Amino acid sequence: CQAHHRPPGDDVADLGDAWVERPFHLESSLDEIAAFYRRVHEAGIVPISCGGDHSVTLPILRGIAKDRPVGLVHIDAHCDTGDDYLGSKFHHGAPFRRAAEEGLIEPKRTIQIGIRGGINDPDVWKFSHDSGMRVVYMDEFYERGVKWAIEEARRVVGDGPVYLSFDVDGLDPVYAPGTGTPEAGGLTTLEAQLLVRGCRGMNLVGGDVVEVSPPFDPSGNTALVGATMMFEILCVVADAVARRKRSNAS
């Protein structure tokens, strides 16, 4: 793994796709994905996943957090805590509102880093603030720096189980243009890598990379960045699994 990280070890495997039989029926698609992740969770497997848009994180959390809510480190340009949009509560702009309402995440143990961009509703992220989520707008991140953001994330999530969700549009589009809702003025790839590496030592129970759209970037750079971030997440999650195993053995 990168820098000072330990290798992820031999207990890593590709489980294939969470195949959806009814992709044109939104609610049942989410149910099918959740069922896949329940089987994964019940088998004692800690998942690292790739989307898809950010709506896929909701059924993943339904599968792995049904027994107890988890904290959340969420790196993104958007809070994704909106509400009904074009007649549906389930879309890529609302997964963490739904997750909080369903008791899958603990808002007061949730931090959202890199938030920015133009909005057409001044209250679009109101749910994040009202529920107690820690919202780190890009201005604050820029002023205080990546080391501060890591410490703030550690403070917010504490020692309990935590999920790490990385939306590639958290990056500035000069690094990752292949995404559906790019926002100028974002993280560099190095800042993102350092943020993920700073999660080492957290009680991580899974992670994902979402919103990579290779056709939007013929250069292939966004796909490379997405794969790189998945590798970084794999390293810190594998470290968390190893720590739990050592703790249970002692």
Side-chain angles (χ1 to χ4, degrees):
C1 283
Q2 300 284 349
H4 57 278
H5 286 338
R6 65 188 303 277
D10 297 326
D11 298 329
V12 177
D14 182 357
L15 298 181
D17 296 334
W19 186 255
V20 174
E21 298 288 342
R22 299 174 64 195
F24 298 110
H25 191 282
L26 182 57
E27 283 81 356
S28 69
S29 295
L30 298 180
D31 290 342
E32 290 181 62
I33 296 169
F36 176 90
Y37 280 90
R38 278 194 293 272
R39 293 194 298 272
V40 168
H41 182 64
E42 289 166 0
I45 298 167
V46 179
I48 309 297
S49 311
C50 63
D53 69 34
H54 221 151
S55 66
V56 301
T57 305
L58 176 61
I60 293 172
L61 291 170
R62 286 176 176 173
I64 71 173
K66 63 184 181 68
D67 299 325
R68 56 22 181 159
V70 299
L72 177 70
V73 176
H74 172 205
I75 301 170
D76 201 326
H78 314 99
C79 289
D80 291 351
T81 49
D83 203 358
D84 181 274
Y85 181 68
L86 298 179
S88 178
K89 299 189 301 180
F90 303 105
H91 53 87
H92 66 92
F96 300 117
R97 184 182 187 127
R98 303 282 89 89
E101 291 171 346
E102 295 179 22
L104 303 173
I105 62 172
E106 296 182 78
K108 289 182 170 55
R109 292 186 56 237
T110 293
I111 185 167
Q112 303 182 299
I113 303 172
I115 309 303
R116 63 190 188 279
I119 55 175
N120 58 9
D121 178 355
D123 292 330
V124 68
W125 308 138
K126 187 175 186 295
F127 183 88
S128 289
H129 293 284
D130 288 353
S131 65
M133 297 180 185
R134 177 65 168 98
V135 181
V136 179
Y137 290 95
M138 196 62 206
D139 295 28
E140 184 178 14
F141 177 88
Y142 179 79
E143 290 169 2
R144 298 195 175 198
V146 66
K147 291 183 179 180
W148 167 84
I150 291 168
E151 291 307 312
E152 184 70 352
R154 290 180 174 278
R155 180 191 69 80
V156 169
V157 304
D159 297 327
V162 59
Y163 188 85
L164 173 57
S165 188
F166 184 91
D167 187 328
V168 77
D169 70 33
L171 296 167
D172 191 284
V174 300
Y175 301 99
T179 190
T181 51
E183 300 283 1
L187 300 166
T188 69
T189 47
L190 179 57
E191 287 169 337
Q193 287 175 294
L194 293 173
L195 278 173
V196 172
R197 294 173 193 174
C199 294
R200 184 183 185 192
M202 293 181 185
N203 186 14
L204 293 162
V205 295
D208 62 46
V209 174
V210 298
E211 301 282 352
V212 174
S213 181
F216 286 3
D217 181 8
S219 75
N221 193 51
T222 307
L224 170 63
V225 169
T228 299
M229 297 313 304
M230 281 196 73
F231 180 71
E232 296 282 357
I233 293 171
L234 171 62
C235 289
V236 294
V237 170
D239 183 78
V241 171
R243 288 170 185 266
R244 287 194 291 271
K245 286 182 178 179
R246 290 196 297 268
S247 177
N248 292 336
S250 61

